[in-house]
Amino acid sequence: MDTANLLPSSDQDKFLNVPYEQRWECLKPIITSLYLSKRGPDGKSMTIAQISAFMKTHYSFHAAESQYKRWFSKWGIRKRILTSEKNEIVSILGKRSCPGTTISTVTLGDNKEVDKRQMQRYLKSQLCRHKKEALMRSPGILLSWNLPYKAYIRALGSTPSNHSSPFTTPDSTPSFTNIPSPNSTTPDGESVTTGAPSPTMQLVREKLACDRASLFLQGRARQLLETCDKDDQLTIINYLHDLYLYAFVKAKHWGRGPKVWTPGMVSALTAGPFDVSIPAILSTPHMPTAPTQLCRWSIHISHAQASKRSGTSVESSSLSGQGDQFNIRDPGSWRKWPSEPASKEGDAFATSLAQTVTEQEFSRTQGHELPLSTHLITQSVLQDAETTVADACKTSIMAGNSKLVYSLCRRAAQGSGHHNRDPWKKIYGIFPFHLAATYLDGGHTCCTVLSNLLGSLGCDTLFYHNIDDMGHTVFDTLLINILRSHTKVSPELVSRSFKPPDRFPGEEKDLCGRWDADTPAVRHLLERGHARIPASWKHAFCHTTAQAICHSAITIFGSPVPPEINHDSGLFIRRCTECGLEFRLGPLHSIVVVAFYLASRGMPGETLFGALSVLVCLLSLGVNPTLTKEVSVAQLLNTAMQPGACYHKPMDALDLMQAVPEANVAVWTSECQTGWRCMMEIMKLAKTKGADSTEMLIYPPEDRIGQDGGSDSDHDELDCGSSRLTQEGTKSQYSLVKLQSSSPKLGIIWAAIQTELLTYRRVELGAPWTSEKFSMTALERWLTGKTQDFQTPLLWQDMMNRHSRCGWFINFMNGGLQRYHDSAESDSVCPKAEDVCKKWIVNMDGHGDRARFLAPTGLRNPWMGVRFVYT
């Protein structure tokens, strides 16, 4: 490139009549072009000395080299390209996949050309670093893409970088760069060719693929998608969703049926009458048929009964086949695999998951078709086995395979080596208890996943890991599930931590077992771009959900070293617009707000029996009913407020209920109004008793074995208490189970609720949501003093078994304090149907196809020191 077009045509072009300092600005285009363009000898840009000589000869402009350097600095002109600029160029060129895209056409500000050799050196060094350094990934990120493309984009609200033609989008290119269309010409006036990409462009695309893989492994989904055009977004999202669904199906059915899965088998299992292989962009937008409104349910049985139902494992080499020997659409007909030690089973699944990723056997999309580096992802999976185990644990929790969850946690402990003082650190990174609460399934697993996590990770795990990265407690997550499954409340109203995607976590799993992530109707819904479960699929807060929530709460707060039951909630956080004070509710306050939304935005048939059950359960577990928090009812209910005043004041949960305007309550159904009044009366009852409750230290149960239990007079002030052991360095401390003595009334209510939950389900459409044996109207009349007794059939027909004054159906043989495993009658703190009723009043017989039978949970030893007074 010569300098002919830069020579002056007259003295006027030299600006000889302009003051010297001003001539710099007048001659700036000539000087910068000489400095940045390739106009020097051998096709290189000029040095400052050469520029100085050129300007002196042709423009009579005399300046030292130091002056040029000062003015270049003032103008912000440099030959060197910043790393940020190089990365931006890579990002923009990477999006432009059209033939003819080349780095030769890229110029920076003031028409500075990009040094191709400099870019090549940078790209090669970056690729070399990527290959040498194993990219660390966040635990659980590998299997987080639970939505296909159309649903994901709809959930985000807008496409992060939705440009069908990136070349025609002005704001897609930074202001400091200029990248012309591939149909235009180069700065030399030559046409851009449309053949194979140049070596530099190949490096650009390889570098961008590595950067995208790094963003994926770090869990930076939004930033990842912003580096892609629409076609690349579709490819990446659907590919990673294929991995999620494949791993989910494999984890869910691990232990029975096929050992080897293919994308075709997953499609056959999950597509049902729909063909999910049809590209989402071509799919019809209509809503699929809603699942049945009839729940499934879990039934807890004794260890002896569970052993009889477990069946015999089948040894067969055919089980390692790819499904030819199975009816792939009928998982109920699949046979169990031979039993293996827990740690070995977990190791086998983690290894299988790693193989799934490395061999890319889960998708019809081939690795070379992806706009991100599968090599780096594979490298990360192979070199970070502990994170792979955490990934495997995450998908097992989501799939509800409680046995596999236990096995993987044991595998993590044994596989990390003695040098690792915290073998479950990576598993803690997926917040396993919150995840289990999110994917709670009352129709299949009830509280068993939570129980197995507690049994495998250690009794103090919940104490130290009760808060997740969104500020929610595990109990908060249970309340979120209620709102997600049984109301029309939007996520942002519940927690400010919910950001796009605009959906509740875990919507693809139903709390009462009617659908799951691999259910054909759900697959059909998501493939057609519906990110949220429609309200028409939901129903009232049912007994299956209530039982699962209550049993989970008992598992959480009845553990040996429980989290603080009165911990601030991370839900419904508000801030005063006048003084700036942040309002955080207590657990009972949150239950009140949940009950409000169930009544005002719940589903047809809502009675608030489920909310009442959760309230009484938490009171029976020792929550403080007198706990006060700063609350603004106006902000919680989004009612109008006058500026210049604060509307908050200290309230306990009862105060909050009483502060709800009567006008709001008056529009509810009569059943919800009755349920609301019952909850208020129960809160009054708990507050009256709570003010008089005392606590006492009980020795560890091990110290009491074989000792005389003492007379009942020793426990007049407190009839429920158990020891807990926590480690603090080398010092052992004992603390009391938060089971304060409750009034006989509250104990009767809790016992009646448990009996109702264990003996009744809505087995046919049109049936009531609560049985005729439990009357909410009779409960209200009793609590308000209109009747002397709770005149409901469960009591006046003497249907319930003997229970403690606090309402627990825990039966120590002969009233003694011997170990649980010596008692055939006490398998678990959570009772079975036969534990609660004197005669068989269960209405679920004959509906075995909707039932799942579960062995007792492991929550027994922590309650061995409890001294119960029976009614």
Side-chain angles (χ1 to χ4, degrees):
M1 186 182 294
D2 57 37
T3 58
N5 62 339
L6 296 181
L7 296 176
S9 58
S10 64
D11 286 346
Q12 186 177 0
D13 293 338
K14 299 179 182 180
F15 303 99
L16 296 174
N17 296 326
V18 175
Y20 180 77
E21 287 296 322
Q22 295 180 20
R23 288 185 73 192
W24 282 97
E25 291 295 338
C26 296
L27 295 171
K28 178 182 176 181
I30 306 298
I31 296 171
T32 55
S33 181
L34 292 171
Y35 185 61
L36 299 176
S37 301
K38 298 177 181 178
R39 300 178 184 273
D42 302 324
K44 298 180 179 179
S45 60
M46 287 187 177
T47 63
I48 293 180
Q50 291 170 336
I51 294 171
S52 178
F54 180 92
M55 296 300 294
K56 180 178 179 180
T57 301
H58 298 288
Y59 284 85
S60 301
F61 184 71
H62 300 267
E65 292 184 28
S66 59
Q67 290 177 286
Y68 280 100
K69 291 179 179 178
R70 179 170 61 84
W71 278 94
F72 284 147
S73 176
K74 182 178 179 180
W75 291 333
I77 293 175
R78 49 186 162 70
K79 289 185 177 180
R80 184 176 62 85
I81 306 173
L82 298 178
T83 299
S84 60
E85 294 173 337
K86 294 173 186 175
N87 289 333
E88 198 66 49
I89 291 169
V90 169
S91 177
I92 299 302
L93 286 176
K95 290 182 184 180
R96 304 191 172 190
S97 56
C98 297
T101 303
T102 172
I103 202 168
S104 300
T105 62
V106 180
T107 58
L108 301 180
D110 297 311
N111 292 321
K112 180 173 74 172
E113 297 177 21
V114 174
D115 189 325
K116 186 186 299 184
R117 291 193 180 125
Q118 186 182 148
M119 281 295 295
Q120 286 180 340
R121 288 194 298 271
Y122 170 73
L123 292 169
K124 289 178 179 178
S125 67
Q126 290 294 300
L127 291 172
C128 182
R129 180 180 64 83
H130 277 313
K131 292 176 181 178
K132 288 182 178 179
E133 298 177 5
L135 292 176
M136 302 302 293
R137 68 185 189 280
S138 302
I141 289 302
L142 200 62
L143 303 170
S144 295
W145 297 72
N146 57 348
L147 296 177
Y149 175 77
K150 288 190 72 175
Y152 192 97
I153 294 303
R154 186 167 179 177
L156 284 175
S158 63
T159 307
S161 182
N162 191 8
H163 309 310
S164 57
S165 177
F167 287 101
T168 60
T169 308
D171 59 354
S172 65
T173 302
S175 58
F176 63 83
T177 61
N178 177 29
I179 306 177
S181 167
N183 293 323
S184 65
T185 59
T186 66
D188 294 324
E190 301 175 356
S191 295
V192 177
T193 60
T194 58
S198 66
T200 307
M201 278 303 300
Q202 289 178 342
L203 290 173
V204 165
R205 291 175 182 173
E206 190 176 347
K207 163 70 164 55
L208 185 61
C210 291
D211 289 344
R212 288 170 174 169
S214 178
L215 290 171
F216 163 64
L217 293 171
Q218 294 174 54
R220 297 163 62 186
R222 186 103 188 192
Q223 293 92 324
L224 165 61
L225 297 181
E226 286 173 351
T227 68
C228 306
D229 61 19
K230 184 174 181 179
D231 290 338
D232 285 348
Q233 289 173 3
L234 188 148
T235 301
I236 289 176
I237 291 174
N238 283 342
Y239 179 83
L240 295 176
H241 179 66
D242 287 345
L243 172 58
Y244 159 82
L245 186 60
Y246 183 96
F248 179 92
V249 169
K250 198 168 191 174
K252 181 175 181 177
H253 301 292
W254 187 265
R256 64 172 63 240
K259 285 189 175 181
V260 178
W261 287 83
T262 65
M265 293 168 63
V266 173
S267 179
L269 176 68
T270 62
F274 315 111
D275 183 6
V276 297
S277 65
I278 298 175
I281 199 168
L282 300 177
S283 300
T284 56
H286 71 276
M287 190 74 67
T289 303
T292 176
Q293 286 284 306
L294 297 176
C295 305
R296 296 182 58 87
W297 52 80
S298 300
I299 298 177
H300 291 278
I301 56 178
S302 67
H303 284 292
Q305 292 171 317
S307 298
K308 293 179 181 179
R309 285 185 169 272
S310 63
T312 304
S313 298
V314 179
E315 296 276 359
S316 174
S317 59
S318 67
L319 293 180
S320 62
Q322 295 189 357
D324 294 339
Q325 294 80 22
F326 302 93
N327 180 354
I328 200 66
R329 297 185 186 275
D330 184 17
S333 66
W334 300 349
R335 294 177 296 179
K336 284 187 176 182
W337 302 350
S339 298
E340 292 183 347
S343 59
K344 186 176 180 180
E345 186 173 345
D347 184 68
F349 180 74
T351 302
S352 176
L353 180 62
Q355 181 180 337
T356 294
V357 177
T358 57
E359 297 185 4
Q360 300 174 36
E361 58 188 27
F362 54 86
S363 176
R364 293 186 174 94
T365 303
Q366 300 299 310
H368 66 269
E369 300 173 8
L370 286 174
L372 61 91
S373 174
T374 56
H375 169 76
L376 290 186
I377 296 174
T378 297
Q379 185 181 12
S380 175
V381 169
L382 293 177
Q383 296 187 16
D384 191 359
E386 290 185 15
T387 303
T388 301
V389 172
D391 292 327
C393 189
K394 177 177 180 177
T395 193
S396 302
I397 292 172
M398 293 190 296
N401 192 330
S402 57
K403 182 180 178 183
L404 183 56
V405 170
Y406 181 86
S407 300
L408 284 162
C409 291
R410 301 316 304 166
R411 154 66 176 80
Q414 297 180 11
S416 58
H418 297 292
H419 63 282
N420 192 344
R421 298 183 62 185
D422 194 353
W424 297 295
K425 182 177 180 180
K426 293 294 180 70
I427 290 181
Y428 296 154
I430 66 172
F431 300 101
F433 292 99
H434 296 80
L435 195 65
T438 297
Y439 289 88
L440 184 67
D441 183 356
H444 294 89
T445 57
C446 195
C447 57
T448 56
V449 176
L450 276 169
S451 178
N452 281 4
L453 280 170
L454 192 64
S456 58
L457 296 180
C459 62
D460 61 346
T461 310
L462 267 170
F463 180 84
Y464 293 109
H465 299 279
N466 185 38
I467 310 296
D468 67 4
D469 55 345
M470 293 188 289
H472 299 157
T473 67
V474 180
F475 184 72
D476 285 340
T477 309
L478 295 176
L479 297 182
I480 292 169
N481 282 355
I482 298 171
L483 295 170
R484 179 192 82 199
S485 299
H486 303 295
T487 74
K488 300 175 185 177
V489 174
S490 58
E492 63 274 10
L493 192 62
V494 179
S495 174
R496 64 188 182 188
S497 297
F498 288 140
K499 300 174 182 178
D502 182 24
R503 67 196 300 268
F504 283 110
E507 286 201 33
E508 62 273 19
K509 184 183 284 286
D510 181 44
L511 255 176
C512 52
R514 294 179 296 139
W515 66 78
D516 208 341
D518 59 347
T519 301
V522 174
R523 306 304 317 142
H524 180 63
L525 183 80
L526 298 179
E527 290 291 341
R528 279 143 185 80
H530 302 281
R532 299 289 308 277
I533 294 296
S536 60
W537 288 25
K538 303 178 183 180
H539 59 47
F541 191 174
C542 59
H543 282 22
T544 295
T545 295
Q547 175 181 302
I549 297 292
C550 289
H551 284 190
S552 296
I554 294 169
T555 301
I556 294 167
F557 299 115
S559 61
V561 187
E564 171 53 52
I565 195 170
N566 296 304
H567 196 287
D568 287 352
S569 173
L571 308 182
F572 310 110
I573 296 175
R574 301 291 186 267
R575 188 177 293 277
C576 179
T577 56
E578 186 64 26
C579 68
L581 180 67
E582 183 180 76
F583 314 136
R584 286 182 174 268
L585 305 180
L588 291 185
H589 300 79
S590 294
I591 293 176
V592 169
V593 179
V594 168
F596 174 86
Y597 283 123
L598 283 167
S600 60
R601 303 186 66 178
M603 311 313 297
E606 181 59 56
T607 65
L608 294 189
F609 171 82
L612 183 143
S613 301
V614 177
L615 168 65
V616 176
C617 177
L618 221 62
L619 289 170
S620 299
L621 288 166
V623 72
N624 182 6
T626 64
L627 180 68
T628 60
K629 293 289 181 181
E630 286 289 330
V631 179
S632 169
V633 177
Q635 283 196 309
L636 278 177
L637 304 185
N638 296 317
T639 57
M641 296 178 292
Q642 295 294 328
C646 295
Y647 287 87
H648 54 87
K649 62 180 181 179
M651 293 184 180
D652 60 31
L654 176 60
D655 296 332
L656 176 58
M657 294 192 78
Q658 293 172 333
V660 174
E662 183 59 34
N664 292 77
V665 179
V667 299
W668 298 348
T669 64
S670 59
E671 292 82 3
C672 285
Q673 292 185 46
T674 299
W676 184 259
R677 291 192 294 268
C678 286
M679 291 180 67
M680 291 179 65
E681 293 301 323
I682 287 172
M683 210 80 78
K684 293 177 184 177
L685 184 66
K687 280 186 66 176
T688 302
K689 183 60 182 177
D692 299 330
S693 295
T694 58
E695 292 184 349
M696 59 183 292
L697 182 66
I698 305 294
Y699 286 102
E702 289 79 7
D703 295 343
R704 301 178 58 162
I705 302 303
Q707 298 179 9
D708 183 80
S711 65
D712 289 344
S713 60
D714 295 334
H715 302 276
D716 287 341
E717 296 185 10
L718 185 68
D719 68 290
C720 290
S722 174
S723 61
R724 288 195 177 127
L725 174 65
T726 59
Q727 293 293 332
E728 187 174 310
T730 57
K731 181 181 179 182
S732 297
Q733 297 179 337
Y734 297 110
S735 62
L736 187 69
V737 167
K738 298 300 181 180
L739 296 176
Q740 294 185 354
S741 58
S742 62
S743 70
K745 275 191 174 182
L746 194 60
I748 290 171
I749 297 170
W750 177 226
I753 286 172
Q754 293 180 84
T755 304
E756 169 72 8
L757 291 177
L758 291 169
T759 60
Y760 180 77
R761 289 296 182 274
R762 185 170 176 262
V763 296
E764 58 185 11
L765 295 176
W769 289 98
T770 55
S771 76
E772 60 183 10
K773 300 186 296 294
F774 190 101
S775 170
M776 294 283 278
T777 302
L779 177 61
E780 182 189 7
R781 291 175 59 81
W782 179 47
L783 290 171
T784 54
K786 295 179 181 178
T787 60
Q788 186 175 357
D789 300 311
F790 184 10
Q791 295 181 356
T792 193
L794 282 177
L795 274 78
W796 59 261
Q797 291 186 13
D798 196 23
M799 296 180 179
M800 296 195 308
N801 268 330
R802 181 169 176 256
H803 56 82
S804 76
R805 192 176 71 185
C806 292
W808 297 98
F809 290 94
I810 296 182
N811 187 13
F812 289 89
M813 293 184 68
N814 302 320
L817 292 169
Q818 65 188 93
R819 295 181 183 272
Y820 270 84
H821 58 72
D822 291 335
S823 172
E825 300 181 28
S826 300
D827 284 304
S828 174
V829 174
C830 298
K832 307 180 294 296
E834 56 266 34
D835 295 331
V836 300
C837 54
K838 290 184 176 180
K839 59 181 180 180
W840 195 249
I841 57 175
V842 177
N843 78 325
M844 292 168 272
D845 294 343
H847 300 276
D849 58 326
R850 290 162 55 191
R852 175 67 62 87
F853 295 91
L854 303 175
T857 63
L859 193 66
R860 297 179 295 169
N861 291 338
W863 293 58
M864 285 169 54
V866 178
R867 177 67 173 176
F868 290 95
V869 174
Y870 283 88
T871 57

